[in-house]
Amino acid sequence: MTTQATTGQVLVTAQDLRAALSAILVGHQVPSDQAEVIAELLAEADLRGVDSHGAHLMSMYASRLADGHLTPRTTVTTLADNGSAVVLDGGLGFGQIAGLEAAKLVSARAAEHGVAAVAVRETTHLGALGAYTARVAAEGRICLCVQNGPTFVPPFGGITPLMSTNPLSYAIPAGEEPTIVYDIATTAVAGNKLLLAKKRGDPTIPPGWANDTSGRPTTDTQAASVRHLQWFGGHKGFGLALLVELLAGVLAGSSFGTTERTASPLHGDARIAKGVVFIAIDPERFAQREVFTAAVDTLIREIRGSEPAVGVDRIWLPGEPEHERQKARSRDGIPLSPVLVDELRRLAAAVGAPPLRVRAGDDTAPGGA
Ligand SMILES: NC(=O)c1ccc[n+]([C@@H]2O[C@H](COP(=O)([O-])OP(=O)(O)OC[C@H]3O[C@@H](n4cnc5c(N)ncnc54)[C@H](O)[C@@H]3O)[C@@H](O)[C@H]2O)c1
């Protein structure tokens, strides 16, 4: 895989992107150590080609910080600890900080107990869930992560907003092969993919992504409503989203359904809280580590080496496209749309932070080269 900036795109290094994102956060009073962690996770998403959950999110975070809906300093507290089951409170701070803490904890507790679960209430947007499950898998544990959130997606067949895009990720450690990282919204696509397409001015979106506000399927980017995303696989994606809602909302003790709007006198409809549940399994309780990871490698190789259908170049494992993109973008740079680069520069200027440095493709903006 190689990375080339298409017409108008700008190439940036992950390091420069991290620095620019961190400076914007610090400008909004986020403590510098936490800003660096959040910026690291956002730049990592862009590096892995999950563009909907990288630098594109900074405008949302900046406006939430400016509106007082997102707490600049994240304080995570423990509400209950039964060893293999822990409940944390994310203090309506950054989901990235609470998410990493929960991921570290679930991994450690799975090592101790074999199986563990950590729930986080009152946290907010975490970005790409695969970043957290992959870190747990890197420590040798199998990890599942689910997250609910503000209610704007109707149940299958309906038009009343009651669910979120309810993402789900799992990661499984392999031996010599790349970690399997499955990371999806249970809607056909993440809401931020549609928002990014709107931001870029893409005229159309693929069929099956979203409906208009009356619930009619559409491929017109502007008519497509982020409040009317379609479920992936119709009723099947909706069923998985319901599992996510029941774990991350109901079991975790977070808001769900209409409680989202009524639970918080402070924020009302603008409430941004999300619930998260991590579940981790230590495979060593089932088999020797090397035996397990070698068997995972065997399955990966059988799948990758199986005969592709007509017109298919290659069979991929979940996580492989991102793994390949990460190698290519680390080498060639991360392509950003000019709209996003302008947005990041405006966000930086608003808090007196230095502008994003770019590598190639930008003739006009300052700081280029
Ligand atoms: N924090 C939130 O509130 C929130 C909400 C929704 C989604 N998200 C994030 O949005 C991101 C994108 O979600 P999405 O549903 O649009 O993802 P998507 O439809 O792009 O699917 C991505 C997954 O599919 C795998 N994949 C891609 N092509 C493949 C192929 N040919 N064969 C096998 N596997 C393949 C990828 O490795 C990855 O695991 C995820 O990182 C998710 O965590 C976050």
Side-chain angles (χ1 to χ4, degrees):
M1 227 181 241
T2 56
T3 315
Q4 281 178 343
T6 54
T7 313
Q9 277 189 329
V10 170
L11 287 176
V12 300
T13 65
Q15 191 185 6
D16 287 340
L17 188 56
R18 267 196 304 272
L21 296 172
S22 180
I24 296 170
L25 291 166
V26 169
H28 281 278
Q29 315 309 320
V30 176
S32 59
D33 56 334
Q34 295 192 348
E36 276 173 31
V37 171
I38 299 157
E40 165 85 34
L41 285 165
L42 293 176
E44 182 179 306
D46 281 309
L47 206 53
R48 289 172 62 78
V50 189
D51 299 345
S52 53
H53 285 72
H56 155 71
L57 294 175
M58 186 51 73
S59 60
M60 176 177 82
Y61 294 156
S63 69
R64 287 177 172 183
L65 286 162
D67 292 347
H69 292 146
L70 180 55
T71 310
R73 176 185 294 277
T74 306
T75 308
V76 181
T77 49
T78 304
L79 299 176
D81 188 343
N82 298 306
S84 62
V86 181
V87 184
L88 304 177
D89 185 308
L92 287 180
F94 274 88
Q96 284 86 351
I97 303 297
L100 274 190
E101 189 162 330
K104 275 187 199 141
L105 187 61
V106 82
S107 181
R109 294 300 173 88
E112 203 178 327
H113 300 280
V115 179
V118 173
V120 194
R121 294 178 192 162
E122 296 294 286
T123 187
T124 68
H125 200 268
L126 274 82
L129 264 53
Y132 309 89
T133 55
R135 280 168 168 75
V136 178
E139 295 185 352
R141 260 66 80 181
I142 294 168
C143 184
L144 173 75
C145 176
V146 293
Q147 182 210 276
N148 80 337
T151 51
F152 58 92
V153 186
F156 179 64
I159 56 168
T160 307
L162 282 173
M163 316 264 283
S164 197
T165 52
N166 286 16
L168 173 158
S169 172
Y170 66 76
I172 314 271
E176 292 164 8
E177 294 292 340
T179 306
I180 297 175
V181 185
Y182 183 70
D183 183 19
I184 58 149
T186 48
T187 42
V189 287
N192 270 295
K193 274 198 183 155
L194 176 57
L195 294 176
L196 187 58
K198 285 177 186 275
K199 184 185 281 182
R200 286 194 302 244
D202 298 352
T204 57
I205 51 167
W209 274 26
N211 298 335
D212 63 18
T213 51
S214 336
R216 277 188 295 265
T218 183
T219 55
D220 177 336
T221 310
Q222 295 313 324
S225 167
V226 78
R227 293 182 166 266
H228 295 80
L229 291 166
Q230 293 182 23
W231 295 105
F232 98 80
H235 63 283
K236 299 186 182 186
F238 167 61
L240 268 184
L242 182 58
L243 172 69
V244 173
E245 196 72 37
L246 288 164
L247 292 176
V250 177
L251 181 73
S254 308
S255 46
F256 60 89
T258 54
T259 64
E260 177 64 34
R261 274 162 257 144
T262 52
S264 168
L266 180 61
H267 293 142
D269 268 353
R271 187 170 150 80
I272 57 169
K274 288 176 182 279
V276 181
V277 169
F278 285 91
I279 298 172
I281 300 171
D282 185 358
E284 286 205 72
R285 303 294 178 117
F286 297 79
Q288 281 181 339
R289 179 178 303 274
E290 296 69 27
V291 173
F292 173 74
T293 55
V296 173
D297 280 353
T298 301
L299 182 58
I300 290 174
R301 288 167 188 156
E302 277 190 20
I303 292 172
R304 192 190 295 122
S306 65
E307 191 177 348
V310 175
V312 174
D313 293 337
R314 170 178 171 173
I315 295 179
W316 298 83
L317 274 296
E320 269 188 325
E322 290 78 14
H323 183 73
E324 293 292 318
R325 274 196 297 263
Q326 181 160 10
K327 282 195 280 183
R329 289 184 173 194
S330 299
R331 186 189 58 227
D332 306 333
I334 300 169
L336 297 182
S337 73
V339 180
L340 181 54
V341 172
D342 282 351
E343 182 177 274
L344 292 174
R345 288 194 167 130
R346 273 200 310 279
L347 293 170
V351 291
L356 171 68
R357 283 164 46 89
V358 301
R359 250 173 78 171
D362 183 3
D363 304 329
T364 52

